Amino acid sequence: MDIVLHNSGTVPFYQQIAEQIKNQIMDGTLTGGQELPSIRQLAHELHISVITTKHAYADLSQRGFITQIPGKGTFVSDCSANVIREEQIRKLEEDVQACARRARDLGLTHEEFLFLADIKDVDSLSAKS
């Protein structure tokens, strides 16, 4: 597991850790059932507080990406395709909202924005349905 923390910026370490682990699960680098380092071990490796790693793991556990089994360890959840798909849809929603804000800032009307969204490779989407 590869985690790189950045001191600069406003993103807290626990969020950086959680996001990087989540991304590694989403892209298949970390797979269901794979054991993760213990909270203490990860804190030691990253030279950060145990509280920070505990916070990151709690966040991932709450979102269904990892499972913590007392006395056994922390493991990547056997994320069903639905959990991963929901996360991908959530990211897509964020992207669409960012596009809508940009369109608004450019002065596009609602209809113009929908037209732009509709003309982009609609045929390939229809084939997947």
Side-chain angles (χ1 to χ4, degrees):
M1 184 170 69
D2 189 29
I3 296 177
V4 177
L5 298 178
H6 301 282
N7 286 327
S8 59
T10 59
V11 180
F13 285 157
Y14 83 90
Q15 277 185 311
Q16 292 180 46
I17 294 166
E19 190 66 22
Q20 289 179 49
I21 292 173
K22 182 193 76 168
N23 288 340
Q24 289 178 43
I25 293 169
M26 297 288 294
D27 71 14
T29 303
L30 296 173
T31 58
Q34 185 173 347
E35 187 171 8
L36 299 178
S38 71
I39 290 171
R40 291 185 190 286
Q41 181 182 356
L42 185 59
H44 178 73
E45 289 173 8
L46 297 175
H47 306 287
I48 58 174
S49 124
V50 170
I51 294 170
T52 301
T53 55
K54 184 177 182 179
H55 193 173
Y57 276 16
D59 181 56
L60 289 165
S61 180
Q62 179 183 18
R63 293 168 45 197
F65 286 100
I66 65 171
T67 303
Q68 296 176 290
I69 303 171
K72 293 196 178 197
T74 302
F75 302 87
V76 175
S77 295
D78 289 322
C79 290
S80 67
N82 290 338
V83 172
I84 292 174
R85 180 172 165 74
E86 283 300 316
E87 183 63 22
Q88 291 170 336
I89 290 171
R90 187 191 64 73
K91 283 185 175 184
L92 179 61
E93 287 171 348
E94 289 175 0
D95 292 344
V96 170
Q97 288 173 352
C99 288
R101 282 190 297 275
R102 186 168 178 209
R104 183 194 62 223
D105 292 346
L106 291 172
L108 271 69
T109 65
H110 181 76
E111 291 76 19
E112 290 170 325
F113 176 73
L114 292 177
F115 177 77
L116 284 174
D118 192 42
I119 63 172
K120 301 297 180 195
D121 205 16
V122 173
D123 291 335
S124 69
L125 287 175
S126 298
K128 292 181 182 180
S129 299

